[in-house]
Amino acid sequence: MKLKHLLIITVGLTWAIWGCFGKPPQRSIFRYPLESQAPPQLLKLIHQAGTSAEHPNANAIYIADEDSTIFQKSGLYEAHIHILVKILNEKGKEDFGVVKLQYDRLYDSLVVTQARVIAPDGSITNVPDSTIKDINQSEDAEMSIYWSGSREKVITFPNLRVGSAIEYRACYLAKQPAIKGVFDWGNWFQGKEPKLMVKETLIGPRDVQLSWFCTQNQDGKVKFSQREEGGKIIYQWVAKDVAQIVEEPGMPPLGEVARRLLVTTNTWKKASRDSYRLCEPMLKTDEQIREKVAELTKGLQTEEEKIRAIYYWVAQKVRYVGLSFGKKEGLQPHPVTMTFKNGQGVCKDKSALLVAMLREAGLDAYYVLTNPETRVVPQVATDQFNHVITAVRRKDGTYCYLDPTDDLCRDFLPAYEGDKGILLSTKEGADIDFTPIPPPQRNMGRIVASSELTAGGTLRSRVTITGNGFYDEVLRSTMRRRSPEERKIYWQRKLQEVFPGAKLLKFSVSPQPVSDLYQPIEIRLEYEAPNCGYHAGDFFVFSSPLSSGKLAILSHYFFRNAKLPQRRYPLDLWTTFGSAEEETIRFPSSYRVRALPDSVRIHHPKLSYRMFYEQGKGEVVYHKELLIGEPQVPPEDYPLLREILQASSRSAKGLVVLEKSAKP
């Protein structure tokens, strides 16, 4: 009997047991027999999968990626996975030599039922159970979060070499659903390596409404079928010869560009109500919280003033750190009284405390689920959230969104959280929505310089750098993580990128400390640069120092991935932004302007650039403005962005030519 038929029988028997008892049984999981030699049919599949010659961009190739899952109306499930991967080169050997399977022991158990290496000659090396490690998952260590239930099985495949294949099977058995009565599922039909065959099979009760959506499937490559058998519905999705995602620098997260299957029995309104049910009991305040709210809002009259005072306090006075235990550790915040007393919490805790304090101030505040990393797929109400923020419904009916985990954001919600899926937790239930995309003028950096050129070619300049939105936050972050002396060194180096001989004379940054969000950040520089141009007879030739772009630190960061001549995927900039530069350069009265760089103007509804010089009496004024009005530049707009960047590069090389005036 074929192994896949054994799998179907195992699933069928488990369903019958669940139907009798209504909960997952404690039983032995089927173990696959140990073999020393691969069956001829399996060896043929591995050989026919090809080599690097047929798959030049791949490191390995999935011969089979199968998942068979049965689920109950309660949300309980049993899932069996089967993976067969051929190694094509040394990088593939490195990538698949160790496989980690994540699970949460509070919600499910995981048993590896088979793990082995199949050599090109068909000989098999079985991975002993004793070598499969079960360890705490360390994924969130850098975020100062400890989830007590997060675990991973680590399978190390021995004797792996190019041309070999790894094969493993595992069984996930649910202990309890995250939300009672909800079954959420998903599968990746596409990834960083090609897949010859992907199959997802779900078996569920006839009286359960299943919603699903497959992303990036406009060509219908993922085929769907459904049939009824034995009083149950069998859903199946199959795809063959799925191309790999060849990554590009600066592309969106893989989940936004790959074929993914998302499945659920939930709806957005029910998810909203469930979140409300879990969160609301945790929002009860005490006298200490009420006293703090009264202290923070004393004398304040407007909604904006009260929101700002409470938000800044929670963002900066409650540390982002947490230890989570219990059945709902990833879903339910701790009581706000605990978070307030301990002065620490993760996103769900800080946002819940912010909601409670805003309500104490008379504001209509909500607990909000979101995902700042990957765009939520609105067509299906699976749990796609990994973060929590806060919303306030203003008196005029508009919403203000706040992320109290960002302690340097003056504008409440970081700009990179624009156009992200959000779900308000309400008693009545809310639908999925998206945060607004801020216009680039809301994330604008401004650099203004007043410079004087001496007859000997020395430039003395005073520069002021300011910003709002994301630009303000980047400047604050850059300064906060450096000591006062390191800040001077940082800007000295920036100036020397413009002029190797430049010397920083004065430097200041305000406010102090830079974490004071009530004041916009302002950086002031004074410097001197000898030999800022060159003499050629009666002529003196130079460039505006600002035109080099070296002081516009955010532009360099955003466009570092815009070097490809063309793109298959969007360029993900995270946020809209803009920059404006103006430099007035005064020169000796013995000179007059002979030539200025050509003006450049490129306009598009989402992308625009302009650069020009103005001539005045004894001075020239340089102007540049760049506006990027979309967080992701789609491939069709990318050529225009490249044109803008090339124009900006040419502008940096543009020369101002001065000529000595004729003697009277």
Side-chain angles (χ1 to χ4, degrees):
M1 183 176 292
K2 295 181 180 179
L3 292 180
K4 65 178 181 179
H5 293 158
L6 281 174
L7 177 59
I8 293 174
I9 290 174
T10 302
V11 171
L13 288 174
T14 305
W15 181 267
I17 295 172
W18 280 19
C20 295
F21 296 99
K23 61 181 181 179
Q26 299 296 320
R27 63 178 182 81
S28 299
I29 302 296
F30 175 80
R31 299 279 185 168
Y32 286 83
L34 300 179
E35 298 175 310
S36 60
Q37 189 69 26
Q41 186 177 4
L42 176 58
L43 199 57
K44 183 179 179 181
L45 279 176
I46 296 172
H47 177 73
Q48 291 178 340
T51 65
S52 293
E54 292 89 354
H55 308 284
N57 295 316
N59 302 307
I61 184 166
Y62 284 81
I63 300 171
D65 182 346
E66 300 175 288
D67 184 345
S68 295
T69 302
I70 57 173
F71 67 92
Q72 272 191 303
K73 193 172 184 177
S74 65
L76 294 173
Y77 62 86
E78 179 175 328
H80 294 260
I81 64 170
H82 171 222
I83 303 293
L84 177 63
V85 178
K86 183 176 182 179
I87 308 303
L88 300 182
N89 57 31
E90 289 297 324
K91 182 65 166 58
K93 177 182 171 182
E94 178 184 340
D95 291 346
F96 289 90
V98 177
V99 170
K100 297 180 180 180
L101 304 177
Q102 284 80 33
Y103 72 103
D104 191 322
R105 64 182 177 186
L106 298 179
Y107 296 106
D108 52 26
S109 61
L110 170 62
V111 177
V112 177
T113 55
Q114 185 182 58
R116 59 187 186 173
V117 175
I118 305 168
D121 63 1
S123 60
I124 292 177
T125 302
N126 293 290
V127 180
D129 289 347
S130 60
T131 66
I132 299 175
K133 299 179 181 179
D134 190 335
I135 64 175
N136 286 322
Q137 189 177 349
S138 57
E139 178 181 353
D140 293 321
E142 293 183 1
M143 298 177 62
S144 302
I145 306 174
Y146 172 72
W147 302 114
S148 62
S150 294
R151 307 284 298 179
E152 57 188 13
K153 300 273 188 175
V154 181
I155 309 171
T156 301
F157 291 95
N159 304 324
L160 191 61
R161 61 181 188 268
V162 174
S164 299
I166 66 166
E167 184 176 31
Y168 62 91
R169 290 177 166 87
C171 173
Y172 289 86
L173 188 63
K175 298 177 180 179
Q176 61 171 338
I179 299 294
K180 187 176 181 180
V182 173
F183 172 71
D184 264 355
W185 203 249
N187 199 357
W188 290 76
F189 273 71
Q190 194 174 22
K192 297 179 182 179
E193 306 293 353
K195 298 188 177 187
L196 298 185
M197 193 275 290
V198 189
K199 181 186 293 185
E200 176 70 42
T201 303
L202 296 178
I203 304 172
R206 185 171 50 185
D207 61 343
V208 172
Q209 181 67 39
L210 198 69
S211 300
W212 64 274
F213 185 77
C214 188
T215 64
Q216 306 299 329
N217 196 44
Q218 296 87 338
D219 59 359
K221 194 172 188 65
V222 178
K223 309 293 184 184
F224 172 70
S225 64
Q226 176 180 326
R227 68 182 189 275
E228 184 174 340
E229 189 175 301
K232 302 167 185 63
I233 304 296
I234 300 176
Y235 310 85
Q236 193 167 81
W237 297 262
V238 179
K240 297 181 180 179
D241 299 319
V242 182
Q244 71 187 110
I245 299 289
V246 178
E247 292 185 291
E248 295 176 341
M251 67 184 288
L254 199 62
E256 294 187 17
V257 299
R259 299 175 194 264
R260 283 193 302 150
L261 175 66
L262 302 171
V263 182
T264 189
T265 59
N266 211 357
T267 66
W268 290 124
K269 288 190 174 181
K270 182 179 182 304
S272 169
R273 292 193 296 269
D274 287 339
S275 177
Y276 176 87
R277 176 176 53 82
L278 289 172
C279 175
E280 202 65 21
M282 303 293 107
L283 301 182
K284 295 179 181 178
T285 60
D286 59 13
E287 188 60 30
Q288 286 184 313
I289 293 177
R290 288 189 285 272
E291 287 177 358
K292 176 56 70 173
V293 171
E295 174 192 326
L296 293 172
T297 59
K298 183 179 180 180
L300 304 182
Q301 301 298 321
T302 68
E303 287 181 309
E304 181 79 9
E305 289 175 329
K306 294 177 182 178
I307 292 171
R308 191 171 298 277
I310 297 172
Y311 166 73
Y312 285 172
W313 187 87
V314 174
Q316 296 191 333
K317 300 301 182 182
V318 180
R319 294 176 58 223
Y320 184 84
V321 65
L323 298 174
S324 290
F325 301 90
K327 292 183 178 181
K328 303 297 180 184
E329 64 174 356
L331 303 172
Q332 188 176 49
H334 292 101
V336 297
T337 50
M338 177 188 297
T339 303
F340 182 85
K341 180 181 179 181
N342 294 339
Q344 66 180 38
V346 294
C347 62
K348 58 190 176 70
D349 305 313
K350 295 189 68 169
S351 292
L353 177 59
L354 181 57
V355 169
M357 294 180 73
L358 289 168
R359 288 180 181 179
E360 284 293 342
L363 297 160
D364 188 12
Y366 298 86
Y367 187 81
V368 182
L369 307 178
T370 187
N371 187 332
E373 298 173 356
T374 302
R375 184 174 174 81
V376 169
V377 178
Q379 291 89 341
V380 60
T382 55
D383 181 8
Q384 303 170 56
F385 306 113
N386 61 2
H387 191 49
V388 179
I389 59 174
T390 302
V392 176
R393 188 174 186 270
R394 300 187 182 98
K395 292 177 182 179
D396 62 4
T398 61
Y399 282 88
C400 168
Y401 300 101
L402 311 95
D403 186 344
T405 67
D406 190 333
D407 65 347
L408 288 182
C409 181
R410 294 190 74 224
D411 296 336
F412 306 148
L413 188 71
Y416 53 81
E417 291 186 41
D419 198 30
K420 296 297 188 290
I422 52 171
L423 186 67
L424 272 67
S425 302
T426 69
K427 186 176 182 179
E428 301 78 16
D431 277 320
I432 192 71
D433 202 351
F434 288 83
T435 53
I437 300 176
Q441 292 82 358
R442 290 271 303 276
N443 298 305
M444 197 85 171
R446 291 178 174 82
I447 307 177
V448 178
S450 176
S451 305
E452 184 172 346
L453 182 65
T454 69
T458 295
L459 185 83
R460 295 188 180 92
S461 183
R462 295 185 299 277
V463 182
T464 302
I465 304 173
T466 59
N468 56 15
F470 190 60
Y471 213 107
D472 177 277
E473 184 169 355
V474 169
L475 291 174
R476 288 178 193 272
S477 177
T478 303
M479 293 297 96
R480 184 171 70 172
R481 64 175 179 262
R482 290 175 168 85
S483 68
E485 188 61 31
E486 288 173 334
R487 295 171 184 175
K488 293 180 182 179
I489 293 173
Y490 175 85
W491 289 109
Q492 175 68 64
R493 287 176 175 172
K494 285 292 179 185
L495 291 172
Q496 287 180 341
E497 291 178 14
V498 183
F499 298 119
K503 181 180 180 181
L504 181 63
L505 303 175
K506 291 184 180 180
F507 165 79
S508 66
V509 57
S510 62
Q512 290 293 343
V514 293
S515 56
D516 177 5
L517 301 181
Y518 283 96
Q519 301 296 326
I521 192 167
E522 182 178 85
I523 296 170
R524 290 181 176 272
L525 313 171
E526 288 190 29
Y527 72 92
E528 182 178 270
N531 304 316
C532 68
Y534 60 91
H535 290 89
D538 289 339
F539 299 97
F540 185 76
V541 182
F542 69 98
S543 297
S544 160
L546 289 193
S547 71
S548 68
K550 300 298 184 181
L551 301 184
I553 58 176
L554 196 57
S555 297
H556 281 284
Y557 177 79
F558 273 126
F559 297 134
R560 70 195 189 283
N561 292 318
K563 297 178 182 179
L564 295 177
Q566 57 188 16
R567 299 184 67 91
R568 176 177 297 180
Y569 304 109
L571 175 63
D572 193 357
L573 301 175
W574 297 1
T575 178
T576 60
F577 82 100
S579 65
E581 300 172 7
E582 179 181 308
E583 180 169 24
T584 300
I585 305 173
R586 290 173 294 279
F587 51 84
S589 59
S590 58
Y591 283 90
R592 63 184 179 87
V593 176
R594 178 63 182 270
L596 293 173
D598 293 335
S599 299
V600 180
R601 285 180 170 83
I602 301 173
H603 182 72
H604 179 273
K606 298 294 185 181
L607 305 169
S608 67
Y609 173 81
R610 61 177 185 148
M611 186 285 300
F612 61 96
Y613 282 81
E614 290 181 313
Q615 178 180 344
K617 185 177 180 180
E619 66 180 25
V620 293
V621 184
Y622 160 80
H623 300 270
K624 184 172 82 171
E625 182 183 77
L626 171 68
L627 297 175
I628 306 295
E630 47 192 354
Q632 291 185 358
V633 180
E636 59 269 24
D637 289 348
Y638 182 68
L640 180 60
L641 177 63
R642 290 274 296 169
E643 181 184 348
I644 287 175
L645 296 180
Q646 290 166 2
S648 180
S649 178
R650 290 193 299 270
S651 299
K653 300 173 184 176
L655 299 176
V656 176
V657 181
L658 302 180
E659 182 182 19
K660 282 187 177 180
S661 303
K663 293 182 179 180

